[in-house]
Amino acid sequence: MALPRFKAAACHLASVFGSARQTTDKTIGFMRKAAQNSAQLVVFPESSIPGFPYWSSIIAPATGHDFFRYMAEESVYVDGEEIKAIQQAALQSRIVISLGFSEKVRYSSATLFNSNLIIGDDGQILVHHRKLMPTFFEKLTWSPGDGHGLRVADTRLGKIGALICGENTNPLARYALMAQGEQVHISSWPAIWPTRLPLDGEPTPATGNYDNVNANTIRAAAHCFEAKCFGIQSAGVLDHASIQGIAQMTSDPRRTTKILSTYPQATTQFLDPNGHLIKSRIVWPSSDVQDEGLCLQNEEGVLIADIDLNKCVEGKQYHDVVGGYQRLDVFNLQVNRNRHEPVVFASGKKTEHDPPETASCSGSKSTKDSGGIAR
């Protein structure tokens, strides 16, 4: 039996600074635009709702408290109204969604996770992943996640997996998805990745700054080649409005604007099972003229490409690294998928003198997400 063929959309989206609600509405608009152009899988960037904490890369931690408060206020619950609106829109358009968002939890007023959801075309959450380890300056905003979300969604379109940004550097995380038969790999990214501040008068990013454009493509292409799967890179856009919003919260808005404007924007693009870029179509902002190209970078848009999973087969004859080209008698990978919570309450036989519940401080055996969604 032939494998599925379908159209996928990668959304190169700028979050609405200051508003998770408005960003959610914008996200739904992009979903509908993609669905109108026959996309059945629609992918969004890292922390697309409410946006990525770029400020942590350029200001001192001691001056970032207002930004952290902002992220705590605008991050969303996995069972909150924003995610429910996305789920409903996925159901209405009959599309599968991959969504990056900053997640807050009900057991804390300020514990946040860098999370990603894969939502089925029935509106149900198929995979809820929290980034295993915040990268570099992300640790000022997000807590480490767990292995609960290292899962592949088995959909009518095929087996879809997703990792967030730097996780695509982790061979074990990537292998965990390969070993579940992953056929489409989603990698989500921020718009910019500052690692060095530019010197005064320097017109380009500081010498030696991390080359996020090249590094993202190398990692995504390597995974596609190793897994013999298709790849979808979806990066955010840092637009002028967001730069201005961030700048106004710093002590030197002019300098902040200048710094954030110097870094190259990441690309949104598709790759085939050999790691090569796929020619795709830009269907938004103009759906009348469907421009062909390889990527989106400096402007928002919706990029659509044709995915034919039958092309995942031939390469497996050469290098099936989870099957015929693997030594399972030599290597053994074990993944802990328990969702960590701060406390597990155990109920036993009560007497009239017992308190209503006893608490255990080991949170590794819980089978419920903090958002209340059972797994």
Side-chain angles (χ1 to χ4, degrees):
M1 177 181 280
L3 295 171
R5 298 177 174 88
F6 60 92
K7 295 184 186 298
C11 296
H12 201 57
L13 178 145
S15 305
V16 179
F17 184 80
S19 178
R21 181 68 255 181
Q22 290 182 51
T23 305
T24 300
D25 293 340
K26 185 175 183 178
T27 299
I28 292 171
F30 271 56
M31 291 167 60
R32 290 173 177 160
K33 179 61 67 176
Q36 289 166 8
N37 284 273
S38 303
Q40 295 174 276
L41 169 63
V42 184
V43 178
F44 289 92
E46 177 180 13
S47 192
S48 193
I49 302 175
F52 188 86
Y54 300 105
W55 50 83
S56 291
S57 65
I58 63 169
I59 65 173
T63 63
H65 305 306
D66 288 342
F67 283 111
F68 183 73
R69 187 179 301 110
Y70 158 75
M71 283 296 285
E73 290 173 353
E74 292 300 322
S75 295
V76 301
Y77 296 112
V78 72
D79 61 348
E81 60 179 19
E82 295 86 0
I83 299 302
K84 287 180 179 177
I86 299 290
Q87 291 177 268
Q88 183 62 29
L91 173 62
Q92 290 173 346
S93 295
R94 301 298 296 176
I95 51 179
V96 178
I97 299 296
S98 175
L99 175 71
F101 71 109
S102 181
E103 178 190 358
K104 58 184 175 184
V105 292
R106 302 212 180 264
Y107 59 72
S108 171
S109 61
T111 289
L112 309 177
F113 295 98
N114 185 352
S115 297
N116 193 87
L117 296 176
I118 298 178
I119 300 171
D121 58 10
D122 59 356
Q124 298 301 305
I125 294 175
L126 304 179
V127 179
H128 174 196
H129 176 55
R130 292 171 176 166
K131 188 174 183 181
L132 295 169
M133 179 58 65
T135 310
F136 191 28
F137 55 80
E138 292 176 1
K139 294 180 176 69
L140 295 170
T141 299
W142 290 309
S143 300
D146 52 44
H148 180 82
L150 286 177
R151 304 168 189 267
V152 165
D154 194 354
T155 74
R156 63 180 176 82
L157 304 178
K159 296 180 179 180
I160 302 170
L163 291 176
I164 304 166
C165 194
E167 291 184 315
N168 292 280
T169 317
N170 187 327
L172 301 183
R174 295 193 300 104
Y175 183 84
L177 298 186
M178 292 184 204
Q180 297 172 68
E182 185 184 43
Q183 295 165 310
V184 178
H185 180 75
I186 294 165
S187 56
S188 56
W189 313 88
I192 62 173
W193 188 252
T195 57
R196 292 175 182 268
L197 294 178
L199 301 174
D200 290 340
E202 194 173 12
T204 58
T207 302
N209 188 74
Y210 188 82
D211 185 350
N212 64 318
V213 177
N214 189 47
N216 295 358
T217 300
I218 287 173
R219 287 175 283 184
H223 184 85
C224 290
F225 183 81
E226 292 171 5
K228 311 306 178 192
C229 70
F230 282 87
I232 305 176
Q233 291 178 247
S234 181
V237 178
L238 183 59
D239 63 1
H240 181 72
S242 294
I243 291 176
Q244 289 301 300
I246 294 170
Q248 293 305 313
M249 291 179 64
T250 64
S251 60
D252 190 342
R254 185 174 179 178
R255 179 175 181 272
T256 301
T257 299
K258 181 179 179 181
I259 289 174
L260 290 177
S261 301
T262 65
Y263 296 96
Q265 302 265 349
T267 54
T268 288
Q269 56 198 16
F270 294 88
L271 302 103
D272 70 15
N274 289 314
H276 297 147
L277 293 181
I278 300 173
K279 183 170 286 189
S280 47
R281 294 178 292 112
I282 302 171
V283 300
W284 186 90
S286 173
S287 59
D288 298 326
V289 180
Q290 297 189 345
D291 299 324
E292 289 193 350
L294 293 175
C295 70
L296 285 167
Q297 184 172 14
N298 295 315
E299 302 292 337
E300 285 187 293
V302 177
L303 199 65
I304 288 187
D306 294 310
I307 305 293
D308 180 359
L309 296 187
N310 295 283
K311 295 180 179 179
C312 297
V313 175
E314 181 178 329
K316 291 284 189 178
Q317 187 175 17
Y318 321 137
H319 308 120
D320 189 352
V321 299
V322 297
Y325 202 66
Q326 183 58 274
R327 287 292 304 274
L328 302 178
D329 58 328
V330 177
F331 302 108
N332 178 32
L333 175 63
Q334 180 175 320
V335 178
N336 179 1
R337 279 182 169 171
N338 289 323
R339 173 66 89 209
H340 293 293
E341 294 191 17
V343 62
V344 174
F345 291 98
S347 298
K349 187 175 180 180
K350 300 183 180 68
T351 71
E352 59 180 343
H353 303 294
D354 288 333
E357 309 236 2
T358 352
S360 166
C361 289
S362 172
S364 63
K365 296 183 179 180
S366 175
T367 58
K368 291 190 71 180
D369 289 336
S370 58
I373 296 178
R375 289 287 179 262

